[in-house]
Amino acid sequence: MSRTVYVNGEYVPEAEAKVSVFDRAFLMADGVYEVTSVLGGRLIDFDGHAARLERSLGELGMGMPMSRDELLTIHRELVVRNDLTDGMIYLQVTRGAPGDRDFAFPPEGTPQTVVLFTQSKPGLADSPLAKQGIRVISIPDVRWGRRDIKTVQLLYPSMGKMMAKKAGADDAWMVEDGAVTEGTSNNAYIVKDGTIVTRNLGTEILHGITRAAVLRFAREAQMKVEERAFTIDEAKAADEAFITSASMFVMPVVEIDGDAVGSGAPGPVATRLREIYLEESRKVAV
Ligand code: PDD
């Protein structure tokens, strides 16, 4: 079935969804994006994603193309038009298409490009991977210095996923100055003696919306949380490891660079946090 895609104010069949070759995102990766998951036809953590979009745009000197309410309306309209039950909505906002290639930003008033499309993933929350856990490799983090801005510069994360695949693993954790920053498209955690450890916020990592919710639920459940850098050796010696993202929720990590983490099976903390996150997020989904 052909999807209905939103492009610059219009809902069009996917084959007709097009943007200019002069678009700043195509030529300069000058755009930001968000991925919001949909469970049971409702949006998970929408407010967080909208707030981060506004922040990303602001850090790059761009404003919101429309109000948060209008964005929500488009998200919901796409869910309905595409009969989406479980999956994701991808949103991208770029600095627009000024009609030529130039390093300088286009003139004030150049219309931004706004694209949203759905990705159907039936049974997204019941992924068998969550019972099995994933395997990661470590790779150097050679991305730019503003990883807190969710830009479409995803070449290195994409290469990282391919390096993982080649090594027979599922994903990669990136390491800088001896410490883990994050996964290629997710935040990274370890659990040692009941304490959850994850990289502190800064420009080195994306401020995950799932991360914020999971840490809040963990603290509410009286679990101990430390936001600080950790090494791959520390992760290998941990009792558990896991990742979080809008599309994976909480996903256990059972192997790092070929070494089993803990028992080599998903641990109780990651398993419990996944349950709590899914349960609580569904309750307030819009
Ligand atoms: N990725 N870190 C990076 C580098 C990411 O790309 C993502 C999200 C996260 C987790 O953020 P959140 O919990 O807000 O999804 C952390 C999305 C899912 C993607 O690129 O598909």
Side-chain angles (χ1 to χ4, degrees):
M1 196 187 87
S2 165
R3 274 178 291 193
T4 296
V5 171
Y6 176 93
V7 187
N8 296 328
E10 289 186 76
Y11 293 93
V12 294
E14 61 184 17
E16 288 164 34
K18 292 181 178 151
V19 296
S20 165
V21 294
F22 300 115
D23 196 275
R24 293 277 305 178
F26 181 62
L27 297 177
M28 308 270 171
D30 191 357
V32 302
Y33 77 106
E34 281 296 331
V35 176
T36 304
S37 60
V38 173
L39 292 177
R42 293 197 300 157
L43 299 154
I44 302 293
D45 280 335
F46 176 80
D47 286 345
H49 290 285
R52 186 173 61 192
L53 173 70
E54 189 161 4
R55 180 181 180 278
S56 293
L57 288 167
E59 292 298 305
L60 297 175
M62 285 188 263
M64 284 279 268
M66 62 187 81
S67 70
R68 287 191 196 181
D69 278 354
E70 286 166 308
L71 273 181
L72 177 58
T73 302
I74 298 169
H75 277 77
R76 282 183 166 150
E77 187 64 29
L78 283 177
V79 168
V80 172
R81 288 189 189 228
N82 293 290
D83 203 9
L84 185 67
T85 305
D86 294 337
M88 284 94 75
I89 298 192
Y90 177 86
L91 165 152
Q92 184 173 152
V93 180
T94 87
R95 207 183 298 273
D100 201 358
R101 180 175 182 268
D102 192 344
F103 283 84
F105 288 178
E108 203 79 28
T110 302
Q112 288 165 305
T113 302
V114 184
V115 171
L116 285 92
F117 58 81
T118 54
Q119 292 185 286
S120 179
K121 304 270 178 202
L124 180 64
D126 308 313
S127 164
L129 257 191
K131 299 219 160 49
Q132 215 173 292
I134 63 164
R135 290 167 296 167
V136 302
I137 58 165
S138 59
I139 61 173
D141 194 339
V142 300
R143 296 173 300 161
W144 81 321
R146 288 304 306 275
R147 302 157 193 158
D148 56 314
I149 307 173
K150 198 163 171 61
T151 75
V152 296
Q153 301 178 67
L154 296 177
L155 179 55
Y156 190 66
S158 174
M159 288 168 74
K161 298 254 190 219
M162 295 311 291
M163 289 182 235
K165 200 172 170 184
K166 202 169 163 196
D170 303 292
D171 206 348
W173 278 10
M174 294 178 282
V175 177
E176 182 176 56
D177 298 332
V180 174
T181 51
E182 58 188 335
T184 57
S185 62
N186 42 68
N187 291 114
Y189 306 73
I190 57 173
V191 183
K192 184 70 180 173
D193 300 328
T195 299
I196 299 161
V197 182
T198 193
R199 181 82 181 216
N200 48 299
L201 296 181
T203 51
E204 300 81 13
I205 63 165
L206 185 74
H207 302 185
I209 302 305
T210 320
R211 175 189 185 280
V214 164
L215 293 187
R216 181 160 45 83
F217 296 140
R219 287 179 171 123
E220 281 170 11
Q222 314 300 325
M223 296 179 186
K224 220 178 138 225
V225 175
E226 274 178 27
E227 294 180 63
R228 62 165 175 84
F230 61 86
T231 64
I232 285 289
D233 281 347
E234 205 181 343
K236 285 183 176 177
D239 302 322
E240 291 183 42
F242 63 94
I243 57 166
T244 65
S245 79
S247 50
M248 301 283 258
F249 312 114
V250 178
M251 181 62 67
V253 170
V254 295
E255 200 180 289
I256 302 172
D257 287 334
D259 291 342
V261 179
S263 65
V269 174
T271 303
R272 182 72 193 120
L273 281 175
R274 182 178 173 89
E275 285 167 5
I276 299 175
Y277 177 75
L278 286 170
E279 196 180 311
E280 295 300 319
S281 311
R282 277 181 199 270
K283 275 190 209 161
V284 293
V286 295

